[in-house]
Amino acid sequence: PHRAGRRLHGSLVVTLRSRLALMVGLAVAVSMIAVAIGAGTATRVFLLREVDGFLDQRAREITAGGFTGSRFDPVDPRRRGPGGFPVRLDAVTQVVTEAGIARNLFGDVVLPVTEVDLEVASGERPPTKQDADGLDGAHYRVITTPIEGGAVQIGRDLEEIDSAVQSVRRLLFFFGLIGTALAALVAWMIATRATAPVRRLTAAAEQVAETKELDPDIEVEGNDEVGRLASSFREMLSSLSISKAQQQRLVMDASHELRTPLTSLRTNLEVLQRTPDIAADDRRELMSDLEFEVTELSNLVGELVDLATDADTATELSEAFDLAEMVAELAERTQRRTGRRVEIHVDGDSTVTAARGEVERAVLNLLDNADKFSPAGAPLAVHVAERSVAVRDHGPGVADEDKPHVFDRFFRSTSARSKPGSGLGLSIVAQVARHHGGTTFVRDAEGDGAVIGFTIGPDPSSANQAGPMPAG
């Protein structure tokens, strides 16, 4: 199917080039036909103008002699007519009487007599010019001029003019065919060159469809529409590649993290099934372990769902609230749950505009992380400054080489491998901070422990530069 699709795409590109060549060739052909018709028509008009001038001159010569219809007799074409009547072989001269009788002065009636000619002969119409087919089959240009007692018709054979016009048109049509072929060839060459980036882009798309690899080599040439399209396509593939890698890493890490609680649950359930008469104390211990593992599993699933929902697509509306008041509520909740004292220190105005639910989750994760690493009985300290929250613990601190990875998904430092949790809590903090245009930070605390926090909005001057946390 992929090869068939490639042939289909290739045929589409060829069709595009063919269409361009055909359209250009057709445009040139239509132009040449129009030129040929126009040139032929213009040539005929110009030559007919010369013929009309000749006929007018000959008509003036005849009418200037004062001849009448009764004086017109057939004459020998080798000499002039009676009384010097100007009869020559370069034109056909025919007399039409008022009664409609036509006489060719050379002895043969050649020119047709129409109603218009009769009206001219009777004096009802002025001189007229028209094209007419003679009785001999020839094509004439005829002028009919009134004289006393009738009218005189003078016709000039148009065979030479018609032949000249046809020759001009044939010549133009011939060169038009050559021009059309050359234009189509040039258009094909230009279209081939112009569509080369499109063909390369098509080949890259086909490669992605066939191999599922999102890193094809796409060459970007120029800054025109095709170049911008190739650049956008490459950036899109790069984003898809990063997204795909993140998804694969998330799935791999999630499967690894889920395996531990599931294995523990399976083991404890098997023990309960195999030993139905287990001692009450052992049963309570197993049930306690099961409850703990279920809780851990529920927390892990919840964190995975939060991470799977990109923060950039969050739909929770922002609202204005007092960050210090929210932290105080969460600190009280943490104290009730853990029995650990939580101290709060507020600097400056703590009013922010943010998604309250997301910020609550981030602060709770910071408090849970600090509780996990602090020894029993040690207090926690929360520092609330302008659009920032920082939590200090009294644990072993964070090694310098681990600080860049603290907010990575599923990251567990060496000292934290034995601690409960999935390693997703701080990554959710980072996600909330990014959603609100803020940052995260981690630094060593004075004495012992670490300070970990985040900002909301642009990094305020007090975020990473906040004064030393109280010793607690």
Side-chain angles (χ1 to χ4, degrees):
H2 295 301
R3 288 193 294 270
R6 178 170 297 181
R7 287 195 298 269
L8 177 60
H9 288 299
S11 65
L12 290 177
V13 175
V14 172
T15 301
L16 176 60
R17 288 182 288 174
S18 301
R19 286 179 178 176
L20 289 175
L22 180 61
M23 286 188 293
V24 172
L26 183 61
V28 172
V30 171
S31 300
M32 294 303 296
I33 291 174
V35 169
I37 295 175
T41 302
T43 301
R44 181 178 177 80
V45 169
F46 176 78
L47 294 177
L48 283 180
R49 188 178 300 167
E50 296 294 325
V51 172
D52 288 346
F54 165 81
L55 295 176
D56 288 336
Q57 177 63 30
R58 183 61 54 84
R60 284 194 297 270
E61 292 177 1
I62 292 176
T63 56
F67 299 104
T68 64
S70 59
R71 296 176 55 189
F72 293 144
D73 297 315
V75 297
D76 187 343
R78 291 173 297 180
R79 50 190 184 81
R80 298 172 66 86
F85 190 80
V87 177
R88 303 191 184 101
L89 295 177
D90 55 1
V92 175
T93 305
Q94 179 174 287
V95 174
V96 180
T97 65
E98 293 180 353
I101 300 174
R103 291 187 299 165
N104 185 286
L105 297 184
F106 291 149
D108 296 323
V109 177
V110 175
L111 301 177
V113 179
T114 65
E115 293 294 333
V116 174
D117 298 325
L118 295 176
E119 291 177 1
V120 174
S122 61
E124 299 176 4
R125 182 186 290 267
T128 61
K129 296 187 185 75
Q130 57 186 331
D131 290 355
D133 293 327
L135 300 182
D136 58 352
H139 187 205
Y140 291 91
R141 180 69 171 171
V142 180
I143 181 172
T144 304
T145 302
I147 58 176
E148 184 180 351
V152 62
Q153 290 179 294
I154 305 171
R156 181 69 179 266
D157 191 347
L158 298 180
E159 180 181 359
E160 294 181 356
I161 293 179
D162 293 340
S163 177
V165 171
Q166 292 299 324
S167 297
V168 170
R169 287 177 175 172
R170 282 194 298 268
L171 186 63
L172 290 177
F173 280 133
F174 173 74
F175 284 109
L177 290 176
I178 296 177
T180 299
L182 291 177
L185 178 61
V186 172
W188 174 272
M189 297 172 62
I190 293 175
T192 300
R193 182 176 180 85
T195 58
V198 178
R199 295 198 303 275
R200 288 195 295 268
L201 194 59
T202 301
E206 291 171 349
Q207 179 183 352
V208 171
E210 184 173 352
T211 64
K212 302 300 186 294
E213 297 294 335
L214 298 176
D215 54 350
D217 184 16
I218 300 177
E219 183 180 357
V220 178
E221 297 180 357
N223 193 32
D224 55 4
E225 290 80 358
V226 177
R228 293 197 296 272
L229 175 62
S231 178
S232 300
F233 187 71
R234 185 171 64 180
E235 293 176 1
M236 179 189 71
L237 290 180
S238 177
S239 300
L240 289 176
S241 179
I242 294 174
S243 177
K244 180 181 178 181
Q246 291 176 342
Q247 290 177 359
Q248 291 175 341
R249 186 168 62 250
L250 176 62
V251 171
M252 293 175 61
D253 292 341
S255 63
H256 175 74
E257 294 295 331
L258 287 170
R259 190 176 296 114
T260 300
L262 288 175
T263 301
S264 178
L265 284 172
R266 185 185 302 109
T267 302
N268 290 332
L269 288 174
E270 289 177 352
V271 170
L272 288 175
Q273 288 176 345
R274 293 176 182 177
T275 56
D277 55 349
I278 190 173
D281 292 340
D282 294 336
R283 180 178 294 276
R284 281 194 298 272
E285 184 177 353
L286 285 175
M287 295 301 295
S288 178
D289 289 342
L290 285 173
E291 183 179 1
F292 175 78
E293 294 297 342
V294 169
T295 301
E296 286 293 308
L297 185 60
S298 299
N299 292 335
L300 176 59
V301 171
E303 291 171 341
L304 287 173
V305 171
D306 288 339
L307 286 178
T309 305
D310 191 359
D312 292 338
T313 63
T315 58
E316 183 178 353
L317 298 178
S318 297
E319 58 178 296
F321 59 91
D322 192 318
L323 186 59
E325 292 182 0
M326 186 190 74
V327 170
E329 296 175 1
L330 298 178
E332 183 179 355
R333 188 189 309 174
T334 301
Q335 288 182 149
R336 290 196 304 267
R337 179 170 54 85
T338 64
R340 189 187 299 275
R341 189 174 81 256
V342 179
E343 301 172 351
I344 301 175
H345 307 273
V346 180
D347 290 338
D349 183 14
S350 59
T351 301
V352 296
T353 300
R356 185 183 182 94
E358 296 180 26
V359 176
E360 285 183 352
R361 183 63 184 271
V363 174
L364 278 176
N365 285 359
L366 289 178
L367 291 172
D368 290 342
N369 181 77
D371 175 67
K372 180 171 61 176
F373 287 98
S374 294
L380 305 180
V382 183
H383 184 201
V384 180
E386 182 185 359
R387 302 194 307 278
S388 70
V389 177
V391 178
R392 184 235 172 111
D393 61 55
H394 289 274
V398 180
D400 291 338
E401 62 271 17
D402 291 338
K403 288 178 181 177
H405 308 289
V406 165
F407 296 96
D408 292 346
R409 296 174 180 178
F410 299 104
F411 176 75
R412 306 286 292 276
S413 63
T414 304
S415 60
R417 298 291 167 82
S418 60
K419 302 293 184 180
S422 63
L424 292 174
L426 293 184
S427 65
I428 294 178
V429 174
Q431 180 172 277
V432 172
R434 285 194 303 270
H435 181 214
H436 291 85
T439 58
T440 55
F441 55 89
V442 56
R443 63 176 182 269
D444 296 329
E446 293 183 2
D448 58 357
V451 177
I452 302 177
F454 68 96
T455 66
I456 298 174
D459 191 8
S461 59
S462 60
N464 292 323
Q465 305 296 330
M469 298 288 292

